[in-house]
């Protein structure tokens, strides 16, 4: 929508982090933060999506494409704005679909163990946010934050 409006009405964005500058896409300006933004959108939950993608590839190619194309589209859209991490977080519903796909492939014990692994990665991995051309913010993971609260720092 932004691209169309900027192109149609000749709008110019002066911000160096703007996606559109004089009506042209500027996604290349953000390319160095895109991998970090993709990871930070879901962190450990990406394992659910990867396992679901592999499962769908084996079982049903149409379902595979119907699952992966919206995810790829959301990654592209998320990478085209300044606040990439927050924008890519709209992929989150794909996690529920991924668990639904895995439900038919894994036993309840395997699904529980896998979920615990994903939970551990999400709990202990430091949280990052990526945005703009070269900005990455680091946030304390929950265990470290609790330690900070306990010692009063």
């Amino acid at each position: 929508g932004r691209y169309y409006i900027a192109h149609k009405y000749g709008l110019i964005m002066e911000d160096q982090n703007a996606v559109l500058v004089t009506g042209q896409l500027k996604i290349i300006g953000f390319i160095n933060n895109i991998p970090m933004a993709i990871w930070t959108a879901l962190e450990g939950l990406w394992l659910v999506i990867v396992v679901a993608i592999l499962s769908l590839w084996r079982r049903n190619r149409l379902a595979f494409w119907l699952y992966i194309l919206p995810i790829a589209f959301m990654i592209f859209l998320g990478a085209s704005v300044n606040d990439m991490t927050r924008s890519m977080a709209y992929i989150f519903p794909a996690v529920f679909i991924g668990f639904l796909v895995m439900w038919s492939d894994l036993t309840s014990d395997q699904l529980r163990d896998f979920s615990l692994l994903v939970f551990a990665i999400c709990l202990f991995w430091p949280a990052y946010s990526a945005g703009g051309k070269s900005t990455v913010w680091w946030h304390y993971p929950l265990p470290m934050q609790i330690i900070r609260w306990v010692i009063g720092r």
Side-chain angles (χ1 to χ4, degrees):
R2 288 180 186 177
Y3 180 75
Y4 172 76
I5 291 171
H7 184 69
K8 174 130 174 104
Y9 297 105
L11 299 177
I12 298 172
M13 295 183 196
E14 299 299 328
D15 183 9
Q16 66 179 356
N17 290 327
V19 176
L20 299 171
V21 177
T22 62
Q24 301 209 358
L25 271 173
K26 193 182 171 197
I27 195 168
I28 300 301
F30 299 152
I31 203 159
N32 57 332
N33 264 358
I34 291 173
M36 178 60 90
I38 291 171
W39 170 254
T40 61
L42 300 176
E43 294 180 352
L45 293 171
W46 278 111
L47 291 176
V48 175
I49 291 177
V50 168
V51 169
I53 287 171
L54 295 173
S55 177
L56 288 172
W57 179 259
R58 284 183 308 132
R59 286 192 292 166
N60 185 339
R61 297 292 165 90
L62 177 61
F64 166 82
W65 288 110
L66 289 174
Y67 185 63
I68 200 168
L69 287 177
I71 292 171
F73 183 68
M74 287 307 301
I75 288 172
F76 174 76
L77 287 180
S80 67
V81 296
N82 194 34
D83 189 1
M84 291 185 267
T85 297
R86 183 172 44 183
S87 298
M88 286 191 199
Y90 287 106
I91 300 169
F92 186 68
V95 173
F96 296 113
I97 297 168
F99 272 118
L100 186 63
V101 169
M102 288 190 321
W103 188 322
S104 61
D105 288 347
L106 302 175
T107 66
S108 60
D109 288 338
Q110 290 172 327
L111 193 56
R112 184 195 68 234
D113 293 343
F114 182 77
S115 297
L116 286 173
L117 171 67
V118 168
F119 170 74
I121 292 171
C122 289
L123 180 66
F124 293 108
W125 189 273
Y128 294 91
S129 298
K133 185 176 178 183
S134 300
T135 307
V136 176
W137 298 277
W138 182 78
H139 310 284
Y140 291 110
L142 182 60
M144 188 178 288
Q145 189 69 14
I146 291 171
I147 292 169
R148 289 183 64 227
W149 291 332
V150 169
I151 64 173
R153 292 186 182 239

